[in-house]
Short mmCIF file of all heavy atoms in Angstrom, two decimals:
data_model
loop_
_atom_site.label_atom_id
_atom_site.label_comp_id
_atom_site.label_asym_id
_atom_site.label_seq_id
_atom_site.Cartn_x
_atom_site.Cartn_y
_atom_site.Cartn_z
N GLY A 12 16.16 -35.48 -44.25
CA GLY A 12 17.08 -34.57 -43.70
C GLY A 12 18.43 -35.39 -43.24
O GLY A 12 19.04 -34.92 -42.34
N LYS A 13 18.70 -36.26 -44.08
CA LYS A 13 19.89 -37.09 -43.71
C LYS A 13 21.00 -36.84 -44.72
O LYS A 13 20.78 -36.94 -45.87
CB LYS A 13 19.61 -38.54 -43.75
CG LYS A 13 18.47 -39.03 -42.87
CD LYS A 13 18.65 -38.55 -41.27
CE LYS A 13 17.45 -38.74 -40.42
NZ LYS A 13 17.28 -39.96 -40.12
N PRO A 14 22.22 -36.39 -44.29
CA PRO A 14 23.39 -36.10 -45.21
C PRO A 14 23.73 -37.41 -45.98
O PRO A 14 23.69 -38.51 -45.44
CB PRO A 14 24.46 -35.73 -44.19
CG PRO A 14 23.75 -35.28 -42.99
CD PRO A 14 22.56 -36.15 -42.92
N VAL A 15 24.20 -37.24 -47.26
CA VAL A 15 24.56 -38.32 -48.01
C VAL A 15 25.84 -38.30 -48.58
O VAL A 15 26.20 -37.24 -49.20
CB VAL A 15 23.60 -38.54 -49.21
CG1 VAL A 15 23.95 -39.77 -50.13
CG2 VAL A 15 22.17 -38.56 -48.88
N LEU A 16 26.86 -39.15 -48.28
CA LEU A 16 28.06 -39.20 -49.00
C LEU A 16 28.11 -40.29 -50.06
O LEU A 16 27.73 -41.48 -49.85
CB LEU A 16 29.19 -39.44 -47.81
CG LEU A 16 29.30 -38.47 -46.75
CD1 LEU A 16 30.47 -38.92 -45.80
CD2 LEU A 16 29.54 -37.11 -47.32
N VAL A 17 28.43 -39.79 -51.25
CA VAL A 17 28.24 -40.65 -52.32
C VAL A 17 29.65 -41.13 -52.85
O VAL A 17 30.55 -40.48 -53.32
CB VAL A 17 27.62 -39.72 -53.64
CG1 VAL A 17 27.42 -40.64 -54.83
CG2 VAL A 17 26.39 -39.11 -53.16
N MET A 18 29.78 -42.56 -52.78
CA MET A 18 31.02 -43.09 -53.21
C MET A 18 31.14 -43.43 -54.60
O MET A 18 31.30 -44.54 -55.17
CB MET A 18 31.12 -44.34 -52.24
CG MET A 18 31.20 -44.18 -50.86
SD MET A 18 31.31 -45.75 -49.77
CE MET A 18 29.65 -46.47 -50.18
N ARG A 19 31.19 -42.24 -55.30
CA ARG A 19 31.23 -42.34 -56.82
C ARG A 19 32.19 -41.15 -57.30
O ARG A 19 32.29 -40.17 -56.53
CB ARG A 19 29.91 -42.32 -57.54
CG ARG A 19 29.18 -43.64 -57.36
CD ARG A 19 27.67 -43.50 -57.67
NE ARG A 19 27.35 -42.92 -58.96
CZ ARG A 19 26.29 -42.78 -59.49
NH1 ARG A 19 25.11 -43.20 -58.72
NH2 ARG A 19 25.96 -42.32 -60.61
N GLU A 20 32.62 -41.25 -58.43
CA GLU A 20 33.45 -40.10 -59.01
C GLU A 20 32.60 -39.03 -59.65
O GLU A 20 32.99 -37.89 -59.76
CB GLU A 20 34.46 -40.71 -60.12
CG GLU A 20 35.48 -41.72 -59.49
CD GLU A 20 36.18 -41.30 -58.29
OE1 GLU A 20 36.55 -40.06 -58.28
OE2 GLU A 20 36.48 -42.10 -57.32
N THR A 21 31.49 -39.44 -60.15
CA THR A 21 30.45 -38.53 -60.74
C THR A 21 29.01 -38.86 -60.34
O THR A 21 28.79 -40.02 -59.75
CB THR A 21 30.46 -38.67 -62.34
OG1 THR A 21 30.09 -40.05 -62.63
CG2 THR A 21 31.83 -38.51 -62.86
N THR A 22 28.06 -37.95 -60.52
CA THR A 22 26.74 -38.22 -60.16
C THR A 22 25.95 -37.57 -61.32
O THR A 22 26.20 -36.52 -61.86
CB THR A 22 26.31 -37.67 -58.83
OG1 THR A 22 25.02 -38.06 -58.62
CG2 THR A 22 26.53 -36.38 -58.66
N GLU A 23 24.82 -38.25 -61.68
CA GLU A 23 23.85 -37.85 -62.56
C GLU A 23 22.81 -37.06 -61.93
O GLU A 23 21.83 -36.62 -62.45
CB GLU A 23 23.22 -39.10 -63.35
CG GLU A 23 22.41 -39.98 -62.52
CD GLU A 23 23.37 -40.93 -61.72
OE1 GLU A 23 24.53 -40.76 -61.66
OE2 GLU A 23 22.72 -41.93 -61.28
N ARG A 24 22.95 -36.80 -60.51
CA ARG A 24 22.13 -36.03 -59.68
C ARG A 24 22.83 -34.90 -59.01
O ARG A 24 22.91 -34.78 -57.80
CB ARG A 24 21.47 -36.99 -58.65
CG ARG A 24 20.50 -38.13 -59.30
CD ARG A 24 20.22 -39.04 -58.18
NE ARG A 24 19.28 -40.09 -58.77
CZ ARG A 24 19.46 -41.15 -59.47
NH1 ARG A 24 20.68 -41.41 -59.84
NH2 ARG A 24 18.50 -41.95 -59.91
N PRO A 25 23.40 -34.08 -59.81
CA PRO A 25 24.30 -32.94 -59.29
C PRO A 25 23.42 -31.94 -58.40
O PRO A 25 24.07 -31.14 -57.68
CB PRO A 25 24.78 -32.32 -60.59
CG PRO A 25 23.78 -32.44 -61.63
CD PRO A 25 23.27 -33.82 -61.28
N GLU A 26 22.12 -31.98 -58.55
CA GLU A 26 21.23 -31.06 -57.77
C GLU A 26 21.51 -31.25 -56.25
O GLU A 26 21.53 -30.21 -55.56
CB GLU A 26 19.87 -31.30 -58.08
CG GLU A 26 19.44 -31.23 -59.47
CD GLU A 26 19.47 -32.42 -60.30
OE1 GLU A 26 20.24 -33.39 -59.87
OE2 GLU A 26 18.86 -32.46 -61.45
N GLY A 27 21.69 -32.55 -55.94
CA GLY A 27 21.84 -32.83 -54.46
C GLY A 27 23.21 -32.15 -53.91
O GLY A 27 23.29 -31.57 -52.84
N VAL A 28 24.25 -32.22 -54.75
CA VAL A 28 25.55 -31.71 -54.49
C VAL A 28 25.50 -30.16 -54.44
O VAL A 28 26.05 -29.62 -53.46
CB VAL A 28 26.62 -32.10 -55.51
CG1 VAL A 28 27.95 -31.42 -55.21
CG2 VAL A 28 26.79 -33.73 -55.50
N THR A 29 24.80 -29.55 -55.45
CA THR A 29 24.62 -28.16 -55.43
C THR A 29 23.88 -27.65 -54.27
O THR A 29 24.21 -26.55 -53.74
CB THR A 29 23.91 -27.66 -56.64
OG1 THR A 29 24.71 -28.07 -57.83
CG2 THR A 29 23.84 -26.28 -56.87
N ALA A 30 22.79 -28.39 -53.89
CA ALA A 30 21.98 -27.92 -52.69
C ALA A 30 22.72 -28.14 -51.42
O ALA A 30 22.26 -27.49 -50.39
CB ALA A 30 20.63 -28.73 -52.83
N GLY A 31 23.59 -29.12 -51.36
CA GLY A 31 24.35 -29.36 -50.20
C GLY A 31 23.83 -30.53 -49.44
O GLY A 31 24.32 -30.79 -48.31
N THR A 32 22.87 -31.24 -50.04
CA THR A 32 22.33 -32.51 -49.25
C THR A 32 23.24 -33.64 -49.56
O THR A 32 23.18 -34.57 -48.77
CB THR A 32 20.98 -32.80 -49.85
OG1 THR A 32 21.05 -33.04 -51.24
CG2 THR A 32 19.98 -31.63 -49.56
N ALA A 33 24.10 -33.69 -50.55
CA ALA A 33 25.06 -34.70 -50.99
C ALA A 33 26.39 -34.18 -51.14
O ALA A 33 26.57 -33.12 -51.59
CB ALA A 33 24.43 -35.55 -52.15
N LYS A 34 27.40 -35.10 -50.97
CA LYS A 34 28.79 -34.81 -51.39
C LYS A 34 29.47 -36.10 -52.12
O LYS A 34 29.32 -37.18 -51.52
CB LYS A 34 29.54 -34.46 -50.09
CG LYS A 34 31.04 -33.99 -50.30
CD LYS A 34 31.64 -33.65 -49.12
CE LYS A 34 31.30 -32.30 -48.52
NZ LYS A 34 32.18 -31.79 -47.43
N LEU A 35 30.10 -35.73 -53.19
CA LEU A 35 30.77 -36.77 -53.78
C LEU A 35 32.20 -37.07 -53.13
O LEU A 35 32.89 -36.08 -52.80
CB LEU A 35 31.15 -36.44 -55.28
CG LEU A 35 30.05 -36.44 -56.23
CD1 LEU A 35 30.53 -35.97 -57.60
CD2 LEU A 35 29.49 -37.89 -56.49
N VAL A 36 32.35 -38.42 -52.71
CA VAL A 36 33.61 -38.71 -52.02
C VAL A 36 34.45 -39.71 -52.71
O VAL A 36 35.46 -40.04 -52.25
CB VAL A 36 33.33 -39.16 -50.48
CG1 VAL A 36 32.67 -37.93 -49.72
CG2 VAL A 36 32.53 -40.49 -50.37
N GLY A 37 33.99 -40.29 -53.78
CA GLY A 37 34.75 -41.29 -54.50
C GLY A 37 34.87 -42.59 -53.58
O GLY A 37 34.08 -42.89 -52.81
N THR A 38 35.96 -43.31 -54.07
CA THR A 38 36.23 -44.57 -53.31
C THR A 38 37.53 -44.60 -52.77
O THR A 38 38.05 -45.74 -52.41
CB THR A 38 36.05 -45.82 -54.29
OG1 THR A 38 36.92 -45.65 -55.44
CG2 THR A 38 34.71 -45.90 -54.83
N ASP A 39 38.16 -43.33 -52.49
CA ASP A 39 39.41 -43.37 -51.90
C ASP A 39 39.17 -43.49 -50.30
O ASP A 39 38.34 -42.78 -49.83
CB ASP A 39 40.02 -41.94 -52.04
CG ASP A 39 41.39 -41.75 -51.34
OD1 ASP A 39 42.45 -42.44 -51.65
OD2 ASP A 39 41.36 -41.07 -50.32
N VAL A 40 39.91 -44.43 -49.78
CA VAL A 40 39.73 -44.82 -48.31
C VAL A 40 39.87 -43.55 -47.46
O VAL A 40 38.85 -43.31 -46.48
CB VAL A 40 40.62 -45.87 -47.96
CG1 VAL A 40 40.41 -46.27 -46.39
CG2 VAL A 40 40.38 -47.21 -48.78
N ASP A 41 40.91 -42.85 -47.53
CA ASP A 41 41.08 -41.69 -46.62
C ASP A 41 40.09 -40.71 -46.76
O ASP A 41 39.63 -40.16 -45.75
CB ASP A 41 42.46 -41.08 -46.89
CG ASP A 41 43.61 -42.09 -46.45
OD1 ASP A 41 43.46 -42.86 -45.62
OD2 ASP A 41 44.75 -41.86 -47.05
N THR A 42 39.59 -40.43 -48.01
CA THR A 42 38.57 -39.42 -48.18
C THR A 42 37.31 -39.85 -47.57
O THR A 42 36.58 -39.01 -46.91
CB THR A 42 38.36 -39.19 -49.79
OG1 THR A 42 39.56 -38.74 -50.30
CG2 THR A 42 37.19 -38.07 -49.90
N ILE A 43 36.84 -41.07 -47.84
CA ILE A 43 35.54 -41.54 -47.14
C ILE A 43 35.60 -41.42 -45.72
O ILE A 43 34.73 -40.92 -45.09
CB ILE A 43 35.37 -43.06 -47.62
CG1 ILE A 43 35.03 -43.12 -49.06
CG2 ILE A 43 34.10 -43.65 -46.83
CD1 ILE A 43 35.07 -44.59 -49.61
N VAL A 44 36.72 -41.89 -45.07
CA VAL A 44 36.78 -41.89 -43.65
C VAL A 44 36.78 -40.43 -43.14
O VAL A 44 36.16 -40.09 -42.20
CB VAL A 44 38.09 -42.62 -43.17
CG1 VAL A 44 38.27 -42.51 -41.68
CG2 VAL A 44 37.96 -44.19 -43.57
N SER A 45 37.52 -39.56 -43.78
CA SER A 45 37.68 -38.15 -43.43
C SER A 45 36.37 -37.49 -43.34
O SER A 45 35.96 -36.79 -42.48
CB SER A 45 38.66 -37.42 -44.16
OG SER A 45 38.67 -36.05 -43.84
N GLU A 46 35.67 -37.76 -44.52
CA GLU A 46 34.32 -36.98 -44.60
C GLU A 46 33.26 -37.50 -43.57
O GLU A 46 32.56 -36.76 -43.06
CB GLU A 46 33.74 -37.18 -46.05
CG GLU A 46 34.72 -36.52 -47.09
CD GLU A 46 34.46 -34.97 -47.06
OE1 GLU A 46 33.70 -34.40 -46.20
OE2 GLU A 46 35.20 -34.22 -47.82
N ILE A 47 33.37 -38.80 -43.33
CA ILE A 47 32.45 -39.34 -42.33
C ILE A 47 32.71 -38.80 -41.03
O ILE A 47 32.00 -38.37 -40.14
CB ILE A 47 32.48 -40.84 -42.27
CG1 ILE A 47 31.86 -41.58 -43.42
CG2 ILE A 47 32.07 -41.44 -40.89
CD1 ILE A 47 30.27 -41.54 -43.28
N PHE A 48 34.07 -38.71 -40.61
CA PHE A 48 34.43 -38.18 -39.32
C PHE A 48 33.95 -36.72 -39.14
O PHE A 48 33.77 -36.30 -38.16
CB PHE A 48 35.95 -38.46 -39.08
CG PHE A 48 36.34 -39.76 -38.83
CD1 PHE A 48 35.54 -40.86 -38.76
CD2 PHE A 48 37.67 -40.26 -38.47
CE1 PHE A 48 35.72 -42.17 -38.43
CE2 PHE A 48 37.99 -41.49 -38.24
CZ PHE A 48 37.07 -42.51 -38.24
N THR A 49 34.09 -36.00 -40.26
CA THR A 49 33.73 -34.58 -40.12
C THR A 49 32.36 -34.43 -39.83
O THR A 49 31.89 -33.72 -39.01
CB THR A 49 34.02 -33.88 -41.41
OG1 THR A 49 35.47 -33.94 -41.77
CG2 THR A 49 33.59 -32.52 -41.52
N LEU A 50 31.48 -35.15 -40.45
CA LEU A 50 30.05 -35.14 -40.12
C LEU A 50 29.74 -35.64 -38.74
O LEU A 50 28.85 -35.20 -38.17
CB LEU A 50 29.18 -36.03 -41.20
CG LEU A 50 29.16 -35.37 -42.63
CD1 LEU A 50 28.36 -36.35 -43.49
CD2 LEU A 50 28.42 -34.06 -42.63
N LEU A 51 30.47 -36.70 -38.35
CA LEU A 51 30.27 -37.13 -37.00
C LEU A 51 30.73 -36.08 -35.83
O LEU A 51 30.14 -36.06 -34.84
CB LEU A 51 31.04 -38.38 -36.76
CG LEU A 51 30.48 -39.71 -37.48
CD1 LEU A 51 31.47 -40.75 -37.39
CD2 LEU A 51 29.09 -40.06 -36.95
N ASP A 52 31.81 -35.48 -36.07
CA ASP A 52 32.52 -34.56 -35.09
C ASP A 52 32.14 -33.05 -35.22
O ASP A 52 32.40 -32.29 -34.26
CB ASP A 52 33.92 -34.75 -35.24
CG ASP A 52 34.28 -36.28 -34.99
OD1 ASP A 52 33.62 -36.94 -34.15
OD2 ASP A 52 35.38 -36.84 -35.39
N ASP A 53 31.58 -32.64 -36.27
CA ASP A 53 31.45 -31.27 -36.56
C ASP A 53 29.99 -30.96 -36.74
O ASP A 53 29.34 -31.20 -37.83
CB ASP A 53 32.25 -30.67 -37.89
CG ASP A 53 32.19 -29.25 -38.08
OD1 ASP A 53 31.24 -28.63 -37.67
OD2 ASP A 53 33.10 -28.76 -38.72
N ASN A 54 29.31 -30.41 -35.59
CA ASN A 54 27.91 -30.19 -35.80
C ASN A 54 27.51 -29.26 -36.74
O ASN A 54 26.38 -29.33 -37.37
CB ASN A 54 27.43 -29.76 -34.36
CG ASN A 54 27.50 -30.93 -33.24
OD1 ASN A 54 27.40 -32.06 -33.62
ND2 ASN A 54 27.60 -30.36 -32.02
N THR A 55 28.30 -28.22 -36.97
CA THR A 55 27.93 -27.18 -38.03
C THR A 55 28.01 -27.84 -39.42
O THR A 55 27.15 -27.66 -40.20
CB THR A 55 29.10 -26.18 -37.95
OG1 THR A 55 28.91 -25.46 -36.61
CG2 THR A 55 28.65 -25.02 -38.96
N ALA A 56 28.98 -28.67 -39.76
CA ALA A 56 29.03 -29.34 -41.00
C ALA A 56 27.91 -30.19 -41.17
O ALA A 56 27.20 -30.38 -42.28
CB ALA A 56 30.35 -30.08 -41.20
N TYR A 57 27.53 -31.02 -40.14
CA TYR A 57 26.42 -31.86 -40.26
C TYR A 57 25.05 -31.07 -40.46
O TYR A 57 24.32 -31.36 -41.32
CB TYR A 57 26.27 -32.67 -38.89
CG TYR A 57 25.10 -33.67 -38.99
CD1 TYR A 57 25.33 -34.95 -39.45
CD2 TYR A 57 23.81 -33.39 -38.62
CE1 TYR A 57 24.41 -35.97 -39.49
CE2 TYR A 57 22.87 -34.47 -38.76
CZ TYR A 57 23.12 -35.64 -39.16
OH TYR A 57 22.14 -36.54 -39.34
N ALA A 58 24.84 -30.02 -39.71
CA ALA A 58 23.66 -29.28 -39.84
C ALA A 58 23.49 -28.66 -41.22
O ALA A 58 22.34 -28.52 -41.74
CB ALA A 58 23.50 -28.21 -38.73
N ALA A 59 24.56 -28.19 -41.84
CA ALA A 59 24.50 -27.60 -43.19
C ALA A 59 23.92 -28.63 -44.19
O ALA A 59 23.22 -28.11 -45.09
CB ALA A 59 25.92 -27.17 -43.49
#
């Protein structure tokens, strides 16, 4: 039950992205930080 942020441009495991358990964030600094902060600060986004 732990959200996964994937620091890659592609994944060979798209099932997780489709199901909502994982999200591709690449290696852009701003994107990684923004997505982490969203999960830390938005309970609804985290629970999803």
Side-chain angles (χ1 to χ4, degrees):
K13 306 305 169 76
V15 184
L16 297 183
V17 183
M18 297 179 293
R19 288 164 55 177
E20 302 303 325
T21 61
T22 180
E23 64 282 11
R24 294 166 173 84
E26 300 91 337
V28 176
T29 301
T32 61
K34 181 179 287 189
L35 287 172
V36 298
T38 58
D39 177 76
V40 175
D41 291 337
T42 302
I43 295 170
V44 173
S45 174
E46 293 290 350
I47 284 283
F48 286 3
T49 295
L50 289 175
L51 290 171
D52 298 330
D53 185 336
N54 291 335
T55 301
Y57 184 91

